[in-house]
């Protein structure tokens, strides 16, 4: 029986591959139109997806497409280039010198960043507990709003707290590069969900840490805007857990953040985006994070690597709306009164789906966990629990108090 590898290919993986091709196309064709790189990158990625016979072959074809684009340049312009040239030119995949950090090794890719892992040469002499660090390399001039690594650094300084990733330092490099330095945390919640290794106590402790972090930033007026498993890192498989990646966060006191009632809608990630975003509501508040956290809680408590809602292979907003409506029922203004003021609420007629019962949505799950999720994943944003209220929920009150923070 053939393995359905395309089903395991996530939207974020496809987006990352397409973004790399897009930037590489622009490098190889500096005189092209503004829309040409995006159009050709999408065609190349889709060709790789259609032609590949396995996930490994898909990644190989995407890498080959990038290399072919680079090889199309004049030989003098492509010497020593690698697929991450657009972020940090001429770096090898290991042994790089980044500021005072030597022998940095490439760790992971982001949409607008590359992350390297390195040993802090001064950690022992300064008695620092963070000997291993993560170096997030960005080019602010290449970022599009709401992505802004300098704003991220400012917000992280303001949001310093127990379950917020610590910004150890940030520094400028030649060529307009901006580097953020964090403790290296070896475990991602997304990986733990795929492995299916979480226990009852670790589930509750991890969720408690997530809501503690959210309570802290929400009390400061900050909205994270991209809560999802990949943005939650842990120092051990059982915790403590930390919120990371404040690259699109919003703060009322930061000059680079949008006006309160004109916030950018293109935030969040596919299946974790709340319905108010999908209907054009720009005056959203921190309850946006609570919907996303509820979706994460559903995975931690029951679903594992499967998301609560499905936005389809390409992250379609219509597919996400349909999935939400099929699960929670198609809302009317009696259920969702705030929607009457949303710009896109009355533009389409939707099939009327009945609401499913939460025990059927999250089967064979602790009843108090189901109750927690049901009070977070709610159409009317003001009816969602706050992070502080979530911490007082019976499911999380059972969390272990003996956890020692790293």
């Amino acid at each position: 029986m053939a393995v359905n590898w395309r089903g395991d290919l996530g939207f974020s993986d496809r987006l990352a591959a397409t973004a790399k091709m897009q930037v590489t196309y622009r490098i190889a064709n500096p005189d092209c139109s503004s829309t040409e790189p995006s159009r050709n990158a999408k065609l190349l990625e889709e060709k790789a997806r259609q032609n590949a016979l396995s996930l490994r072959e898909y990644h190989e074809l995407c890498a080959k497409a990038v290399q072919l684009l680079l090889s199309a340049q004049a030989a003098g312009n492509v010497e020593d280039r690698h697929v991450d040239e657009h972020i940090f030119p001429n770096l090898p995949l290991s042994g790089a010198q980044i500021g005072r950090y030597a022998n940095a090794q490439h760790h992971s890719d982001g949409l607008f960043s590359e992350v390297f892992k390195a040993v802090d040469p001064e950690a022992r002499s300064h008695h620092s507990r963070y000997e291993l660090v993560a170096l997030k390399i960005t080019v602010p001039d290449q970022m599009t709003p709401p992505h802004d690594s300098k704003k991220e650094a400012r917000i992280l300084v303001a949001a310093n707290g127990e379950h917020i990733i610590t910004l150890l330092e940030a520094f400028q490099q030649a060529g307009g590069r901006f580097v953020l330095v964090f403790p290296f945390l070896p475990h991602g919640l997304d990986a733990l969900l795929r492995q299916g290794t979480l226990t009852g106590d670790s589930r509750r402790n991890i969720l408690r840490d997530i809501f503690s972090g959210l309570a802290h930033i929400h009390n400061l007026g900050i909205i994270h805007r991209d809560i999802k498993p990949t943005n939650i890192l842990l120092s051990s498989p059982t915790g403590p857990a930390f919120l990371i990646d404040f690259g699109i966060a919003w703060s009322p006191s930061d000059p680079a953040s949008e006006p309160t009632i004109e916030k950018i809608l293109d935030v969040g990630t596919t299946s974790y985006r709340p319905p108010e975003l999908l209907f054009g509501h720009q005056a959203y508040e921190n309850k946006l994070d609570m919907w996303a956290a509820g979706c994460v809680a559903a995975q931690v408590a029951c679903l594992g690597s499967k998301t609560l809602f499905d936005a389809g292979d390409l992250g379609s907003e219509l597919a996400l709306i349909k999935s939400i409506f099929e699960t929670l029922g198609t809302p009317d203004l009696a259920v969702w009164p705030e929607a009457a003021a949303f710009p896109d609420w009355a533009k389409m007629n939707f099939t009327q789906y009945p609401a499913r019962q939460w025990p059927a949505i999250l089967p064979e799950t602790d009843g108090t966990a189901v109750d927690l999720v049901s009070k977070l994943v709610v159409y009317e944003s003001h009816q969602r629990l706050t992070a502080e209220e979530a911490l007082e929920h019976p499911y999380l009150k059972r969390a272990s108090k003996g956890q020692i923070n790293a």
Side-chain angles (χ1 to χ4, degrees):
M1 181 177 178
V3 176
N4 181 22
W5 66 268
R6 290 183 180 86
D8 296 328
L9 180 62
F11 171 75
S12 59
D13 295 324
R14 298 190 65 188
L15 183 62
T18 303
K20 189 165 290 186
M21 291 179 192
Q22 181 176 337
V23 176
T24 309
Y25 188 95
R26 187 177 290 113
I27 291 171
N29 301 275
D31 297 326
C32 65
S33 68
S34 60
T35 60
E36 191 176 332
S38 175
R39 183 175 66 252
N40 281 277
K42 289 176 181 178
L43 290 172
L44 288 169
E45 188 279 332
E46 179 60 24
K47 183 178 179 181
R49 193 178 78 93
Q50 292 296 333
N51 292 341
L53 299 178
S54 66
L55 187 59
R56 179 179 178 180
E57 187 175 355
Y58 165 80
H59 288 298
E60 289 174 349
L61 289 174
C62 289
K64 183 178 180 180
V66 169
Q67 295 293 352
L68 287 173
L69 284 171
L70 290 174
S71 67
Q73 285 187 284
N77 293 334
V78 299
E79 185 178 0
D80 294 331
R81 288 191 181 269
H82 57 83
V83 296
D84 300 316
E85 177 70 17
H86 62 289
I87 297 296
F88 207 90
N90 302 316
L91 277 181
L93 292 182
S94 64
Q97 180 79 35
I98 304 173
R100 63 187 177 89
Y101 302 93
N103 299 318
Q105 296 181 351
H106 180 267
H107 178 66
S108 62
D109 300 330
L111 184 58
F112 288 102
S113 65
E114 301 294 328
V115 177
F116 284 74
K117 179 172 62 173
V119 173
D120 184 348
E122 300 178 7
R124 292 184 180 178
S125 61
H126 291 171
H127 304 290
S128 171
R129 56 180 172 167
Y130 301 122
E131 186 170 340
L132 197 60
V133 298
L135 307 168
K136 181 177 180 179
I137 304 172
T138 69
V139 183
D141 289 346
Q142 292 183 4
M143 305 177 89
T144 56
H147 297 271
D148 185 336
S149 56
K150 291 188 175 181
K151 180 183 69 173
E152 177 179 13
R154 294 192 297 268
I155 289 178
L156 281 167
V157 170
N160 183 46
E162 187 176 9
H163 294 290
I164 309 301
I165 189 72
T166 300
L167 178 65
L168 300 175
E169 67 168 315
F171 57 90
Q172 201 79 34
Q173 290 266 278
R177 295 164 189 85
F178 186 62
V179 183
L180 297 88
V181 185
F182 304 100
F184 182 83
L185 300 177
H187 303 280
L189 181 57
D190 58 324
L192 295 176
L193 291 172
R194 287 195 303 270
Q195 294 161 10
T197 55
L198 297 178
T199 65
D201 283 344
S202 65
R203 289 187 178 99
R204 287 187 291 272
N205 285 329
I206 290 167
L207 288 176
R208 187 173 183 84
D209 291 348
I210 293 170
F211 288 112
S212 293
L214 286 173
H216 174 67
I217 65 171
H218 289 174
N219 284 335
L220 297 172
I222 296 168
I223 311 174
H224 185 281
R225 301 203 291 193
D226 200 15
I227 297 296
K228 57 183 177 180
T230 53
N231 282 343
I232 298 160
L233 295 182
L234 300 88
S235 57
S236 81
T238 57
F242 301 85
L243 303 183
I244 71 161
D245 197 349
F246 282 68
I248 63 171
W250 183 90
S251 170
S253 60
D254 192 274
S257 288
E258 319 92 86
T260 302
I261 62 172
E262 297 177 356
K263 299 187 189 80
I264 290 175
L265 294 173
D266 188 17
V267 296
T269 298
T270 56
S271 301
Y272 303 92
R273 303 182 74 212
E276 56 265 32
L277 286 182
L278 306 176
F279 287 91
H281 181 51
Q282 292 184 276
Y284 55 80
E285 299 178 351
N286 60 30
K287 292 298 184 70
L288 172 144
D289 286 342
M290 301 311 295
W291 172 283
C295 294
V296 172
Q299 291 182 247
V300 172
C302 174
L303 300 176
S305 60
K306 180 183 177 184
T307 57
L308 181 59
F309 303 113
D310 182 10
D313 287 345
L314 297 177
S316 161
E317 289 194 353
L318 286 177
L320 180 56
I321 291 170
K322 182 173 184 287
S323 179
I324 293 172
F325 286 5
E326 285 178 334
T327 304
L328 304 182
T330 305
D332 55 23
L333 293 180
V335 172
W336 196 12
E338 68 181 351
F342 295 171
D344 299 332
W345 168 250
K347 289 184 178 179
M348 296 184 68
N349 292 318
F350 292 95
T351 302
Q352 298 298 306
Y353 296 103
R356 297 172 61 198
Q357 297 299 307
W358 277 104
I361 299 170
L362 302 177
E364 301 179 8
T365 306
D366 184 312
T368 57
V370 174
D371 184 71
L372 172 63
V373 175
S374 72
K375 291 177 177 176
L376 292 164
V377 185
V378 180
Y379 282 118
E380 186 75 3
S381 63
H382 299 294
Q383 293 179 4
R384 298 170 199 158
L385 296 180
T386 65
E388 291 179 336
E389 288 170 342
L391 287 169
E392 295 300 315
H393 190 275
Y395 180 66
L396 296 185
K397 292 292 281 185
R398 289 157 52 193
S400 169
K401 304 296 184 182
Q403 187 176 324
I404 300 175
N405 288 334

